[in-house]
């Protein structure tokens, strides 16, 4: 799959508005140029927030946020070299390698997630890709989660067409596989698999009829152009991902990105706003990194169009705000969780 249409790069004026551009059969654009996305980043903050919130209201209830709960079904010992990740076996972090969790244990977590108000259960494994021997247990987890009436999501690394079909057969609703950054900056972060590999997995997931969840990480020392490039890749996929997780790097001691300079919080909010503007019908998830954000920053992220969060005190291996803390913030903002 070609990443971007280079010939379009220079032909579009930054002043051109989305309405003057071609619209695809789904009513959404898939030909965003990096220049247009950078032009959104360049807007005065209040104009950008206003535009993003106005777009948000065309597609979503502005006072509803969807809750997804994470579960690390296979922690640590991963052979990949993602420089941000505490689960890579290549770095000395406090995360120990564990075996694949028993199905019943995963179900216990799913029942708790449901009782706490989450509508989606996201199961993550520290794998390069799933092995054949793992597929049966993983499919049982999907069936169990579905039986509870929760949406199911898995993130297991690269998938081939057969594996995607098996997961679909088990009833999987979403598959998470992030592009992580721009095609150029990606190479600085991960060497053990390519950007094309990532796009191939996304294509296999889409072809199997599973909804795509794909986003990335900001705060890894990337440039504004890289952030725009990441969003451009996502928006120019054949279908916009149903969910777009925007993670702010969680710096974990022992990983190569530990000690990276902090990004300007307003640039994070700009990334959310641009995601909302170019993928207006997608859920944009304010994902990892909320522990390092204050209430006001999170409120601005919701204003910018974020309408989903990871809920529950743990992400995969790192801390996330306590449920009560999130509910208190929602109360102060007049936000209600989706489905309630
Ligand atoms: N191993 C599988 C894979 O990488 O495809 C699935 C799990 S992996 C932990 C899922 C995603 O979590 C990564 O693609 C990355 O975007 C995000 N992630 C991992 N470590 C992170 C960190 N320290 N801060 C923010 N996001 C992180
Ligand atoms: C995603 O985009 N973020 C989640 C999920 N997809 C799998 C993972 C965040 C992980 C943060 C670091 C950790 O807790 O290990
Ligand atoms: Fe492994 Fe996924 Fe972490 Fe990369 S992000 S090291 S593939 S667990």
């Amino acid at each position: 799959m070609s990443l971007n249409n280079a010939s379009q790069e220079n032909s579009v004026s930054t002043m051109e508005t989305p309405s003057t551009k071609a619209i695809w059969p789904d009513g959404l654009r898939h030909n965003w140029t990096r220049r247009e996305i950078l032009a959104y980043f360049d807007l005065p903050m209040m104009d950008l927030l206003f535009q993003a919130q106005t777009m948000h209201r065309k597609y979503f209830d502005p006072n509803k946020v969807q809750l997804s709960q994470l579960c690390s079904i296979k922690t640590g010992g991963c052979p990949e070299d993602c420089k941000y990740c505490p689960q890579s076996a290549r770095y000395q972090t406090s995360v120990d390698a564990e075996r694949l969790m028993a199905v019943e244990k995963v179900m216990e977590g799913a029942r708790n997630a449901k009782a706490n108000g989450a509508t989606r259960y996201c199961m993550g494994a520290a794998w390069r890709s799933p092995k054949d021997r793992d597929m049966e247990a993983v499919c049982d987890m999907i069936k169990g989660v579905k039986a509870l009436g929760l949406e199911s999501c898995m993130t297991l690394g690269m998938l081939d067409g057969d594996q995607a079909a098996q997961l679909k057969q088990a009833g999987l609703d979403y598959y998470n596989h992030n592009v992580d950054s721009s095609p150029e900056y990606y190479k600085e972060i991960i060497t053990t698999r390519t950007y094309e590999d990532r796009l191939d997995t996304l294509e296999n997931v889409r072809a199997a009829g599973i909804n795509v969840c794909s986003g990335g990480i900001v705060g890894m020392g990337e440039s504004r152009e890289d952030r725009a490039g990441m969003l451009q890749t996502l928006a120019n996929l054949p279908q916009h991902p149903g969910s777009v997780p925007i993670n702010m790097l969680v710096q974990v001691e022992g990983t190569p990105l530990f000690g990276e300079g902090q990004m300007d919080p307003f640039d994070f909010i700009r990334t959310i706003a641009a995601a909302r503007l170019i993928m207006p019908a997608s859920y944009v998830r304010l994902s990892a990194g909320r522990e390092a954000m204050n209430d006001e920053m999170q409120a601005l992220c919701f204003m910018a169009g974020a309408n989903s969060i990871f809920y529950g005190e743990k992400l995969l291996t790192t801390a996330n705000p306590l449920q009560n803390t999130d509910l208190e913030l929602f109360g102060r903002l007049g936000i209600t969780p989706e489905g309630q």
Side-chain angles (χ1 to χ4, degrees):
M1 186 193 294
S2 77
L3 296 179
N4 304 312
N5 187 341
S7 68
Q8 288 170 357
E9 283 287 331
N10 299 315
S11 63
V12 180
S13 147
T14 52
M15 298 310 290
E16 203 160 14
T17 63
S19 59
T20 64
K21 299 294 301 294
I23 301 285
W24 268 245
D26 62 5
L28 303 167
R29 280 187 54 196
H30 298 261
N31 64 344
W32 288 95
T33 66
R34 210 172 274 207
R35 214 141 55 106
E36 288 174 299
I37 299 168
L38 285 168
Y40 278 138
F41 288 168
D42 280 342
L43 284 174
M45 192 71 185
M46 300 309 136
D47 290 340
L48 177 59
L49 285 175
F50 180 72
Q51 283 197 33
Q53 177 64 203
T54 303
M55 183 66 91
H56 189 50
R57 283 164 186 259
K58 290 191 180 143
Y59 288 84
F60 293 102
D61 178 337
N63 303 308
K64 286 264 180 219
V65 169
Q66 187 274 333
L67 307 182
S68 288
Q69 174 117 23
L70 277 166
C71 174
S72 182
I73 61 170
K74 158 67 182 91
T75 303
C78 184
E80 303 296 279
D81 71 351
C82 314
K83 285 201 172 91
Y84 49 74
C85 188
Q87 302 201 69
S88 167
R90 295 164 191 247
Y91 315 130
Q92 291 288 317
T93 69
S94 59
V95 176
D96 293 325
E98 292 172 18
R99 297 166 69 92
L100 180 62
M101 239 188 203
V103 177
E104 185 38 45
K105 196 98 191 4
V106 176
M107 291 305 300
E108 205 180 294
R111 283 190 287 270
N112 276 333
K114 185 172 164 85
N116 290 333
T119 57
R120 188 178 303 171
Y121 199 56
C122 306
M123 295 161 271
W127 288 328
R128 173 176 166 81
S129 54
K131 303 265 189 316
D132 284 348
R133 62 167 189 260
D134 302 315
M135 291 304 283
E136 193 182 331
V138 158
C139 288
D140 285 347
M141 290 171 195
I142 295 169
K143 289 175 195 157
V145 168
K146 293 294 297 168
L148 289 177
L150 285 170
E151 287 181 323
S152 56
C153 180
M154 290 236 154
T155 179
L156 313 171
M158 292 186 285
L159 288 188
D160 63 29
D162 271 2
Q163 291 170 320
Q166 284 178 62
L167 297 178
K168 172 69 183 173
Q169 176 76 24
L172 187 66
D173 297 300
Y174 283 82
Y175 194 80
N176 167 244
H177 198 63
N178 292 337
V179 300
D180 276 352
S181 195
S182 66
E184 308 88 270
Y185 199 66
Y186 178 91
K187 297 191 192 85
E188 308 290 321
I189 302 295
I190 299 146
T191 68
T192 49
R193 68 170 91 147
T194 67
Y195 209 71
E196 282 295 332
D197 288 334
R198 298 235 170 203
L199 297 177
D200 288 346
T201 291
L202 293 179
E203 179 52 29
N204 292 337
V205 169
R206 191 184 68 83
I210 301 169
N211 295 302
V212 167
C213 169
S214 188
I217 312 181
V218 293
M220 300 192 292
E222 73 286 339
S223 65
R224 296 165 73 252
E225 285 72 15
D226 290 316
R227 266 172 236 141
M230 172 180 93
L231 294 179
Q232 183 189 25
T233 301
L234 295 168
N236 291 351
L237 290 169
Q239 280 175 17
H240 293 173
S243 295
V244 180
I246 306 292
N247 297 276
M248 191 171 83
L249 174 69
V250 179
Q251 299 202 5
V252 181
E253 201 168 346
T255 60
L257 290 183
F258 182 70
E260 183 63 47
Q262 292 294 330
M263 74 183 290
D264 182 343
F266 293 124
D267 286 342
F268 182 86
I269 298 162
R270 284 190 162 88
T271 309
I272 299 259
R276 168 52 63 225
L277 282 161
I278 67 175
M279 294 173 279
S282 303
Y283 280 80
V284 176
R285 184 172 307 126
L286 175 53
S287 302
R290 288 196 302 117
E291 270 282 270
M293 297 177 196
N294 63 21
D295 291 345
E296 294 82 351
M297 178 171 173
Q298 293 188 63
L300 283 175
C301 289
F302 297 133
M303 178 80 187
N307 60 345
S308 171
I309 58 166
F310 284 125
Y311 185 60
E313 60 195 38
K314 210 169 175 196
L315 293 164
L316 291 173
T317 66
T318 65
N320 198 39
L322 298 177
Q323 285 159 355
N324 275 344
T325 308
D326 282 339
L327 293 182
E328 199 183 302
L329 176 60
F330 281 9
R332 288 164 66 207
L333 299 177
I335 287 175
T336 35
E338 198 169 271
Q340 291 178 30

